[in-house]
């Protein structure tokens, strides 16, 4: 369900909690609330620290590969088989652009969703914890709009976090390794410009892969008044699902885990692109966003705000 | 974000607590409804998409077989899903355990070598992409998690590229024909093999029509008449227009899931882009030339087989059993070998005895093998009883 539909369904009961507002006050510029939220979120030290950690991952990976291959050998060359480590790692030494894909593959299973979990879990519960939630609601924005704004902020963080990883990886890759035309995993050649385009597309797909976690985190955040509890629950759920996704006996359930198709972003590096799993991934994320988004809405618009 | 309707406030004032409570609870209907709609969509869409069997003019089995033979599809590209369930433990891990040490010490085996790579297809589910443009240009890619193994035949070059390890294998075109025979991958390869086996011990019928990869197809059913065979039936879906086999399913006589199920999930008969078949080894990739390491390794197998006492085939058709004498002792029993490997051997085999003496039957869902304690081997796509009977008869 799109945000527009969500807000169209709401109305009625929610307004009972507030004094009937006058029309003039309601027309607060839309952007203001969102801009304020963005500023608040991105000015927090916690957010900046998370982004710094994410930016550090490609640097570490890049330096590690550089050191390991400085004697001229390939990655994992001594072990014969190669192919260990995150996806694309064996191509990085020949083309720095592959560090972008390696870094995203390395951060997507844990670092990125954990960062999202922290921001999303904190979104509502953190305000309640700090006692600022009721002041936010005093502003004539309405609970649905506040929730949507919070979700938009978390989504913005998803995109920013992914781009931070990608850009840091691109910078490190360009510094340490040669750049140039690259070979897709299907063995065909594409130009560097097209490779960059695909890298950008992959970053967007990775960001979109996180919408499910973001919605889940936001829902958990509406359940509790403690920011820490919400963050811990979200990250805990994330780890649980990742573990369950590894258990072969659960293969019937696994296609419905939000993390199941995460690595399908690599399919964008095939030639021609293999859309099957990418579509499944995006569909699944949309489903999670709809289910937990509407659950968060149902919870948030009906709960008593005491803090 | 839609603006609020202003008349809500008056309604809200009228509402009593009970109604308000209901309305609050009603909001939880939204997420539940979303889940319901999603579940219904997941359940119903495949059923709806399955628009029934297409209506095609009747055709006899003979005509259909001729159609397959006459089929001359030169240009195609598509995605093939292949599921193999021989009832064996996972080959991937097994292969590593047995051959890992040997292939690594023995001459730096490249992971891009087609013979190592294509044996992985023998178990599990794999997605393949195939493209073909005339007899000189073919490409098969095995899709893996965030990696791909491509085998490209372009003119006289055969390239194998393993993107996971960034290794390249290079051979010449004569060899490629051999590789194709080694590992049938497309439904057509399977169907050709199955049709070779068609003789008077087989019943071949056309059993209605089906939709495969969005194309109308006839279903050709090949059934062995012998009871001793482990092959239940083979179904080949043949494209009504081009005569190209689109799906191949082999069900064992013991029932259950198909042993081999290979079918196009998407197919196009348009000319694939020429760049599909271009391959230049990426900078820094390790290139293994076929002559240097692969050829000697490949030849080892036949030499060993040549050392066996004459290979005989008992019976004909689906019931045929290959037999040969290893000349030595039978398979060592688990206790002799000891350790994990011994336990593994015992778990695979069934001890049997008969007039021939004693032996061990190794079973898969399709192929069974009897190895007697005096070193004779009987192998065939037949039941355990048929193997014992053959061994008894040979005495």
């Amino acid at each position: 369900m799109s945000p527009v539909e969500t807000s169209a369904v709401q109305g009625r009961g929610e307004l009972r909690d507030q004094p009937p507002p006058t029309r003039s006050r309601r027309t607060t510029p839309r952007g203001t609330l969102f801009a304020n939220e963005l500023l608040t979120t991105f000015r927090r030290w916690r957010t900046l620290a998370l982004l710094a950690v994410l930016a550090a991952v490609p640097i570490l990976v890049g330096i590690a590969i550089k050191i390991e291959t400085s004697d001229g050998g390939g990655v994992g060359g001594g072990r014969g088989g190669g192919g260990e480590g995150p996806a694309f790692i064996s191509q990085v030494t020949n083309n720095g652009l592959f560090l972008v894909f390696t870094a995203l593959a390395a951060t997507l299973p844990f670092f990125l969703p954990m960062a999202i979990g922290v921001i999303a879990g904190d979104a509502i519960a953190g305000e309640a914890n700090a006692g600022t939630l009721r002041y936010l609601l005093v502003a004539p924005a309405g609970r649905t709009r506040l929730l949507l704004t919070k979700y938009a902020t978390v989504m913005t963080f998803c995109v920013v976090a992914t781009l931070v990883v990608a850009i840091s990886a691109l910078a490190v890759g360009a510094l340490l390794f040669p750049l140039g035309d690259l070979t897709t995993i299907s063995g065909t050649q594409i130009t560097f410009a097209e490779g960059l385009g695909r890298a950008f597309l992959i970053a967007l797909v990775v960001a979109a892969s996180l919408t499910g976690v973001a919605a889940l985190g936001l829902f958990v955040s509406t359940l509790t008044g403690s920011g820490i509890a919400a963050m811990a629950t979200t990250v805990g759920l994330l780890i649980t699902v990742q573990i369950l996704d590894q258990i072969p006996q659960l293969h019937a359930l696994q296609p419905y885990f939000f993390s199941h198709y995460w690595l399908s972003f690599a399919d964008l590096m095939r030639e021609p692109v293999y859309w099957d799993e990418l579509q499944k991934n995006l569909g699944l994320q949309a489903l999670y966003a709809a289910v937990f988004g509407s659950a968060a809405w149902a919870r948030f618009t009906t709960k008593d705000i005491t803090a | 974000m839609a603006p609020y309707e202003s008349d809500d406030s008056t309604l809200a004032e009228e509402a009593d607590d009970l109604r308000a409570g209901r309305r609050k609870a009603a909001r939880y209907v939204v997420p539940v409804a979303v889940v319901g709609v999603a579940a219904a969509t997941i359940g119903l869409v495949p059923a709806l998409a399955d628009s029934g069997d297409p209506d095609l003019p009747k055709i006899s089995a003979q005509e259909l077989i001729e159609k397959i033979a006459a089929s001359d599809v030169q240009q195609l590209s598509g995605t093939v899903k292949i599921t193999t369930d021989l009832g064996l433990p996972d080959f991937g891990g097994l292969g590593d355990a047995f051959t890992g040490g040997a292939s690594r010490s023995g001459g730096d085996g490249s992971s891009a070598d087609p013979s190592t790579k294509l044996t992985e297809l023998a178990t599990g589910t794999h997605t393949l992409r195939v493209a073909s443009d005339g007899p000189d240009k073919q490409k098969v890619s095995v899709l893996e998690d965030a990696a791909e193994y491509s085998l490209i035949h372009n003119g006289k070059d055969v390239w194998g590229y393993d993107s996971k390890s960034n290794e390249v294998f290079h051979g010449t075109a004569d060899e490629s024909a051999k590789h194709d025979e080694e590992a049938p991958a497309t439904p057509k390869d399977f169907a050709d093999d199955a049709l070779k086996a068609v003789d008077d011990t087989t019943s071949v019928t056309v059993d209605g029509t089906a939709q495969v990869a969005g194309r109308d197809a006839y279903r050709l059913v090949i059934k062995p008449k012998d009871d001793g065979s482990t092959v239940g039936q083979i179904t080949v879906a043949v494209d009504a227009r081009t005569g190209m086999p689109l799906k191949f399913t082999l069900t064992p006589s013991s029932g259950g899931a198909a042993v081999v199920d290979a079918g196009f999930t998407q197919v196009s008969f348009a000319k694939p882009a020429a760049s599909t078949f271009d391959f230049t080894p990426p900078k820094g990739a390790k290139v293994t030339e076929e002559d240097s390491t692969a050829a000697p390794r490949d030849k080892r197998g036949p030499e060993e087989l040549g050392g066996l006492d004459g290979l005989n085939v008992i019976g004909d058709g689906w019931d045929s059993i290959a037999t040969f004498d290893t000349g030595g002792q039978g398979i060592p029993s688990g206790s002799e070998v000891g350790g994990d490997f011994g336990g593994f051997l015992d778990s695979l085999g069934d001890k049997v005895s008969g007039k021939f003496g004693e032996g061990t039957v190794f079973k898969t869902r399709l192929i069974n093998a009897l190895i007697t304690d005096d070193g004779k081997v009987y192998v065939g796509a037949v039941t355990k009883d048929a193997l014992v009977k053959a061994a008894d008869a040979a005495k």
Side-chain angles (χ1 to χ4, degrees):
Chain A
M1 197 183 292
S2 74
V4 182
E5 280 166 340
T6 320
S7 61
V9 179
Q10 66 84 41
R12 312 235 158 183
E14 162 204 341
L15 292 172
R16 305 180 72 252
D17 304 331
Q18 301 157 25
T22 58
R23 264 191 172 274
S24 61
R25 288 192 64 201
R26 194 165 277 297
T27 52
T28 327
R30 288 261 159 87
T32 320
L33 187 60
F34 181 51
N36 278 335
E37 278 299 322
L38 271 188
L39 264 181
T40 322
T41 307
F42 282 95
R43 249 194 276 167
R44 281 201 186 112
W45 281 110
R46 183 191 311 154
T47 315
L48 296 177
L50 281 173
L51 291 177
V53 167
L54 287 173
V57 173
I59 300 176
L60 288 177
V61 174
I63 292 175
I65 297 175
K66 188 74 184 171
I67 292 172
E68 195 191 342
T69 57
S70 56
D71 56 352
V75 177
R79 279 159 285 171
E84 288 99 352
F88 303 113
I89 201 162
S90 56
Q91 279 103 323
V92 173
T93 39
N94 312 306
N95 199 323
L97 188 56
F98 275 102
L99 189 60
V100 176
F101 311 135
T102 307
L104 286 174
T107 48
L108 183 53
F110 193 70
F111 286 103
L112 275 173
M114 191 192 66
I116 307 304
V118 167
I119 299 295
D122 196 42
I124 305 288
E127 301 276 5
N129 209 18
T132 45
L133 187 55
R134 59 176 141 185
Y135 299 111
L136 269 177
L137 290 173
V138 167
R143 293 191 183 189
T144 307
R145 197 167 141 199
L146 180 64
L147 192 72
L148 285 174
T149 309
K150 288 284 188 189
Y151 191 59
T153 311
V154 176
M155 288 312 306
T156 312
F157 180 77
C158 289
V159 175
V160 170
T162 315
L163 287 180
V164 161
V165 174
I167 290 168
S168 157
L170 187 62
V172 175
L175 277 175
L176 296 181
F177 306 106
L179 294 176
D181 290 359
L182 61 161
T183 306
T184 62
I185 55 179
S186 301
T188 55
Q189 295 250 328
I190 54 174
T191 61
F192 182 68
E194 199 188 337
L196 264 186
R198 293 212 185 185
F200 183 66
L201 207 58
I202 282 177
L204 288 187
V205 168
V206 169
S209 302
L210 297 167
T211 49
V213 185
L216 185 65
L218 200 63
F219 172 59
V220 172
S221 189
T222 59
L223 293 179
T224 167
S226 153
I228 300 291
M231 291 182 216
T233 312
T234 311
V235 175
L237 276 173
L238 169 75
I239 297 170
T240 313
V241 165
Q242 301 259 34
I243 291 172
L244 292 182
D245 204 22
Q246 302 299 321
I247 300 177
Q249 282 79 4
L250 295 176
H251 66 92
L253 284 179
Q254 283 167 355
Y256 304 102
F257 291 159
F258 56 80
S259 64
H260 189 68
Y261 295 108
W262 272 356
L263 285 181
S264 68
F265 75 81
D267 289 349
L268 281 169
M269 280 306 290
R270 303 189 199 278
E271 183 67 46
V273 175
Y274 185 63
W275 292 105
D276 248 37
E277 297 205 338
L278 282 165
Q279 282 168 355
K280 280 186 194 160
N281 182 26
L282 296 181
L284 194 65
Q285 300 306 329
L287 181 64
Y288 268 88
V291 171
F292 287 103
S294 57
W297 166 79
R299 167 72 186 163
F300 187 57
T301 52
T302 55
K303 87 171 193 177
D304 293 329
I305 306 290
T306 51
Chain B
M1 280 180 264
Y4 304 113
E5 292 96 310
S6 53
D7 55 11
D8 274 358
S9 52
T10 48
L11 259 176
E13 277 158 8
E14 288 164 17
D16 57 36
D17 279 350
L18 185 70
R19 281 174 63 195
R22 266 194 211 140
R23 222 178 278 132
K24 281 182 179 181
R27 300 198 167 191
Y28 287 96
V29 170
V30 178
V32 174
V34 174
V35 172
V37 169
T41 317
I42 291 165
L44 284 180
V45 163
L48 291 178
D50 186 13
S51 53
D53 296 339
D55 218 5
L56 292 170
K58 283 244 179 308
I59 188 168
S60 78
Q62 187 58 38
E63 284 167 338
L64 193 54
I65 291 174
E66 277 162 16
K67 200 173 172 114
I68 298 173
S71 159
D72 187 28
V73 175
Q74 295 284 333
Q75 295 171 339
L76 91 152
S77 56
T79 311
V80 177
K81 196 159 204 178
I82 168 166
T83 305
T84 335
D85 179 11
L86 285 169
L88 283 175
D90 193 343
F91 260 176
L94 205 65
D96 268 3
F98 287 143
T99 63
S103 66
R104 274 173 202 174
S105 58
D108 242 356
S110 165
S111 66
D113 185 341
S115 52
T116 21
K117 208 73 196 183
L118 292 182
T119 46
E120 283 175 16
L121 290 181
T123 47
T125 300
H126 297 269
T127 307
L128 271 68
R129 278 186 154 176
V130 292
S132 170
D133 183 7
D136 290 337
K137 287 181 174 181
Q138 287 107 26
K139 178 171 180 175
V140 179
S141 307
V142 185
L143 272 56
E144 300 161 5
D145 284 345
E148 195 166 319
Y149 174 74
S150 309
L151 190 58
I152 304 160
H153 170 209
N154 191 352
K156 62 183 197 11
D157 289 318
V158 177
W159 296 99
Y161 176 57
D162 181 18
S163 84
K164 195 182 246 173
S165 56
N166 202 27
E167 285 185 13
V168 176
F169 171 89
H170 182 230
T172 45
D174 315 340
E175 297 290 326
S176 78
K178 197 186 80 196
H179 294 314
D180 282 350
E181 274 172 35
E182 272 174 12
T186 62
K188 182 165 168 56
D189 296 338
F190 283 113
D192 285 347
D193 282 348
L195 288 176
K196 265 184 227 154
V198 168
D199 53 25
D200 49 356
T201 62
T202 316
S203 90
V204 182
T205 48
V206 177
D207 178 28
T209 57
Q211 277 248 324
V212 177
R215 295 183 68 90
D216 296 346
Y218 291 105
R219 276 160 46 97
L220 184 71
V221 175
I222 304 167
K223 234 183 209 164
K225 285 178 186 162
D226 316 311
D227 330 321
S229 175
T230 48
V231 176
Q233 69 168 39
I234 293 171
T235 314
V236 183
V238 184
D239 186 37
R241 275 236 305 273
T242 60
M244 167 97 181
L246 296 178
K247 192 172 167 70
F248 174 95
T249 314
L250 193 160
T251 19
S253 54
S254 55
V259 171
V260 179
D261 184 80
F264 280 101
T265 52
Q266 179 261 318
V267 67
S268 147
F269 293 104
K271 184 184 166 77
S275 64
T276 312
F277 306 103
D278 288 342
F279 182 77
T280 334
K283 247 186 313 167
K286 186 178 129 197
V287 182
T288 312
E289 287 293 330
E290 180 161 40
D291 306 326
S292 57
T293 63
R297 281 207 308 143
D298 276 358
K299 278 183 190 129
R300 209 191 300 148
E303 274 164 22
E304 279 170 12
L305 273 180
L308 299 167
D309 287 341
L311 181 76
N312 290 315
V313 177
I314 309 171
D316 59 352
W318 299 89
D319 259 357
S320 53
I321 296 170
T323 168
F324 50 86
D325 196 340
T326 58
Q329 288 293 307
I331 289 272
S333 74
S335 51
E336 283 169 50
V337 178
D340 285 346
F341 185 64
F344 173 72
L345 265 186
D346 271 354
S347 71
L348 271 186
D350 276 354
K351 287 275 171 212
V352 290
S353 58
K355 269 182 272 173
F356 64 90
E358 289 204 337
T360 312
V361 171
F362 293 91
K363 281 162 73 167
T364 70
R365 295 181 63 214
L366 189 63
I367 309 281
N368 292 327
L370 166 65
I371 300 172
T372 63
D373 285 354
D374 53 3
K376 287 202 172 58
V377 180
Y378 300 85
V379 187
V382 294
T383 57
K384 186 167 111 182
D385 295 343
L387 281 177
V388 173
K389 221 185 282 173
D392 284 347
K395 265 285 159 189

